[in-house]
Amino acid sequence: MIIYKCRVTGDEMISDAYKPQDVIGEDGEPVPELMEVESLTVTKDGGAVDVGCGDAFGGGNAEEVDDAVEKVNNVIDESIGFGYNEVPMGKKDFKDFLKTYCGKVRSLLKEDDKIPGPEVKAFTQGAPAFCKWLLGKYDDLQFYMSASFNPDGCMAMSYYKDGASNPTFVYIKKGLIEEKC
């Protein structure tokens, strides 16, 4: 399993169990340096939540509804997911965050002997495109800080795809370090 940790804080942000994929832009092409994961609503005990179709699709007998069971998002929740904290973010604040954060990530990439120069260059060249995509989606985004609530660390952003009942979370790839466990 791979855990993706914030390059700045070391906080766990997501894992490969959530099947990260490239973010696809309006033009059908991948947005450079961004990845996304689909989230789910689950019960606190870890089971998936029936969205109300019962056995309409051949799933067997409908289960009785237990209103006492807590339903949570499998990415946000602190015991099942990664303990994200939602934060309000004005568009100007978000733009300032991206500028500062991208500069910080670029510096950290340059300092890391394991990161070849062409990868640093790719991040620097990709930053305007992914910032433009994120700022273009601003009205649809919700913003989350990691469990440590460190404002210098990476941020997870979420939005709802057309018809989705659960949010998709977006991450800046080079802001994360892959750690095998």
Side-chain angles (χ1 to χ4, degrees):
M1 178 186 294
I2 296 173
I3 299 289
Y4 296 91
K5 292 185 172 184
C6 174
R7 188 172 295 279
V8 176
T9 65
D11 291 342
E12 293 182 358
M13 295 299 294
I14 201 69
S15 82
D16 66 342
Y18 291 80
K19 300 180 178 129
Q21 300 176 4
D22 288 336
V23 172
I24 304 300
E26 304 299 325
D27 60 359
E29 295 295 318
V31 178
E33 302 299 326
L34 292 182
M35 69 179 190
E36 66 184 14
V37 300
E38 305 279 331
S39 69
L40 297 171
T41 299
V42 296
T43 59
K44 195 73 164 179
D45 67 5
V49 174
D50 182 354
V51 294
C53 295
D55 67 351
F57 299 104
N61 295 332
E63 296 180 21
E64 290 187 35
V65 176
D66 183 358
D67 291 331
V69 173
E70 184 178 1
K71 297 175 181 105
V72 297
N73 182 280
N74 70 333
V75 174
I76 298 170
D77 186 71
E78 69 280 353
S79 63
I80 294 174
F82 296 90
Y84 293 171
N85 300 288
E86 187 172 1
V87 293
M89 179 86 48
K91 192 167 190 173
K92 182 184 179 316
D93 296 330
F94 185 46
K95 190 174 184 177
D96 290 345
F97 167 80
L98 288 172
K99 182 178 178 181
T100 303
Y101 182 70
C102 287
K104 186 177 308 181
V105 168
R106 183 175 181 269
S107 294
L108 291 170
L109 291 172
K110 287 174 82 174
E111 293 170 10
D112 189 338
D113 295 337
K114 298 174 194 163
I115 308 290
E119 285 189 38
V120 177
K121 186 176 181 180
F123 174 77
T124 303
Q125 291 176 337
F130 74 71
C131 287
K132 180 180 178 182
W133 187 87
L134 288 167
L135 289 167
K137 280 258 188 226
Y138 172 79
D139 291 334
D140 298 326
L141 295 176
Q142 291 176 281
F143 306 94
Y144 298 89
M145 298 188 90
S146 62
S148 71
F149 232 111
N150 186 329
D152 295 329
C154 67
M155 186 176 294
M157 289 111 349
S158 72
Y159 70 103
Y160 288 83
K161 290 185 174 182
D162 290 336
S165 58
N166 293 300
T168 297
F169 286 84
V170 177
Y171 306 88
I172 298 172
K173 289 180 189 178
K174 288 291 190 278
L176 303 171
I177 296 173
E178 294 182 22
E179 184 177 289
K180 291 185 180 181
C181 56

